[in-house]
Amino acid sequence: MRNTDKQHLRVILNGKSAGRSDIRAAIGAVRDMGHDVSVRVTYEAGDTARLAREALADHASERIDTLVSGGGDGTIHEVVDTVLHELGDGDRPPFAFAVLPLGTANDFARHIRLDPADVSACLRFAARASAKPMDVGEVNGCCFVNMATGGFGTQVTSQTDPNLKRVLGGAAYLFTGLHRFSELSACEGRIEAEDFVWEGAFIALAIGNGRRAGGGIRLCPRAKLDDGFLDLTIIPFPKSGMVPDLLSTLLESGVDGIRHGIIQRRVRHVEIRTEKSVQFNLDGEPMNGQDWKIGIRQHLIDMRR
């Protein structure tokens, strides 16, 4: 269903994209549709969170209908996480969220069927689409919109050269993994969820509200954004010598390409304890630690999708 009312869109725009002519044209086109569009541009670290807090304060006097995250997966993560932390426990944001996908991977945007190559269509969608309730994941008190990933695969994605990603896209992760797999080791851990316990070495794991991470890798292919569950995927460490083949299949075809050994569950709460510190990525933003408490907060936000 389309929203036909006049809207006020507040766009938090990553400063790296501020000079793009297609973005200026997209903003002009939405204004020509009769909507108000106010733009705030980031310049340095901390600006995204500061501008998200500013949007909350401004809403009291100038009613913001939709807060648009103009950037990559990390931008929508920081905007939503900041707004939710500013609000009281259980309070829902006073506006909807939307995405203007300007990042390298844009995994969440692709999940909701936005085309990053057509920013004008994406911004028109933010103005016209209905706001639908959406779940938000949480790891140790930090929110995530799309997916939390950990282990071997996380190291591959975090170590991939951004310039290589720009040239090769998702294939850059495969290139990095196959050339550096000998440097990476298995993660040992214990994973507990409702009526489920698993312990052992894993090459990667994912807890998905969305379906893809790391530039389109389908780690939780049946996850839904509004069902009150997270999709847990565990990829156990394979036998010696099989790591390159497994990594190649994972990065090229996702977990559906791996026929044996994958563990998948739908859960509401997960607790993970690892023997050594491991890196988790929340929508691409890194965290390090050994103890992880993960949960879902159902229908906490509205998203234009």
Side-chain angles (χ1 to χ4, degrees):
M1 182 182 296
R2 288 185 175 181
N3 176 32
T4 58
D5 297 333
K6 180 179 179 178
Q7 299 289 304
H8 176 192
L9 282 69
R10 168 67 57 85
V11 180
I12 297 178
L13 180 62
N14 188 305
K16 295 178 182 179
S17 302
R20 285 176 49 173
S21 59
D22 57 342
I23 296 174
R24 291 181 179 272
I27 292 169
V30 171
R31 285 172 174 161
D32 288 343
M33 293 165 59
H35 302 297
D36 295 326
V37 184
S38 56
V39 182
R40 302 292 184 268
V41 179
T42 67
Y43 178 73
E44 57 191 1
D47 280 356
T48 299
R50 177 179 59 81
L51 294 173
R53 290 191 292 269
E54 180 185 288
L56 267 177
D58 289 349
H59 175 77
S61 60
E62 53 183 300
R63 195 179 68 87
I64 295 171
D65 298 289
T66 305
L67 186 57
V68 182
S69 301
D73 294 314
T75 302
I76 182 64
H77 162 84
E78 189 170 5
V79 168
V80 171
D81 187 58
T82 299
V83 169
L84 292 178
H85 274 92
E86 286 294 303
L87 297 172
D89 228 12
D91 288 347
R92 301 181 83 253
F95 38 64
F97 294 91
V99 179
L100 183 61
L102 307 173
T104 302
N106 300 306
D107 288 305
F108 178 74
R110 294 182 190 279
H111 184 138
I112 60 174
R113 297 184 177 87
L114 295 180
D115 180 5
D118 191 345
V119 296
S120 182
C122 292
L123 196 58
R124 291 197 305 271
F125 183 85
R128 296 189 297 190
S130 296
K132 299 178 182 178
M134 196 183 94
D135 304 340
V136 174
E138 192 172 56
V139 178
N140 291 356
C142 295
C143 297
F144 67 92
V145 173
N146 183 51
M147 191 177 296
T149 55
F152 189 152
T154 304
Q155 295 177 61
V156 169
T157 57
S158 68
Q159 293 174 10
T160 300
D161 186 336
N163 293 319
L164 196 63
K165 287 193 286 186
R166 281 193 286 272
V167 174
L168 299 180
Y173 299 111
L174 174 60
F175 178 89
T176 301
L178 292 179
H179 283 78
R180 301 190 64 175
F181 77 90
S182 61
E183 304 172 26
L184 307 174
S185 58
C187 299
E188 294 274 352
R190 178 181 174 88
I191 301 171
E192 298 183 48
E194 304 96 293
D195 303 316
F196 171 75
V197 177
W198 183 88
E199 193 166 358
F202 56 89
I203 193 170
L205 60 84
I207 303 98
N209 191 36
R211 297 177 179 177
R212 303 168 185 262
I217 305 168
R218 291 174 62 86
L219 294 173
C220 299
R222 282 162 285 282
K224 295 181 180 180
L225 297 171
D226 57 3
D227 63 352
F229 286 90
L230 293 166
D231 279 34
L232 168 66
T233 297
I234 306 170
I235 305 174
F237 204 86
K239 296 178 181 178
S240 178
M242 296 183 64
V243 172
D245 288 343
L246 177 61
L247 183 61
S248 177
T249 300
L250 175 64
L251 297 178
E252 286 185 326
S253 306
V255 296
D256 283 342
I258 302 172
R259 297 183 179 180
H260 305 290
I262 297 296
I263 299 161
Q264 294 177 297
R265 293 287 190 280
R266 296 175 74 235
V267 300
R268 288 192 172 92
H269 302 282
V270 187
E271 292 193 17
I272 300 170
R273 167 78 180 177
T274 57
E275 289 189 359
K276 298 179 181 179
S277 182
V278 64
Q279 179 176 296
F280 260 79
N281 282 352
L282 276 62
D283 299 328
E285 300 302 305
M287 296 177 67
N288 290 279
Q290 291 177 258
D291 292 284
W292 309 91
K293 293 185 178 180
I294 304 166
I296 188 76
R297 300 172 71 181
Q298 187 172 18
H299 292 181
L300 186 60
I301 66 173
D302 290 326
M303 179 70 67
R304 305 284 181 189
R305 59 187 180 92

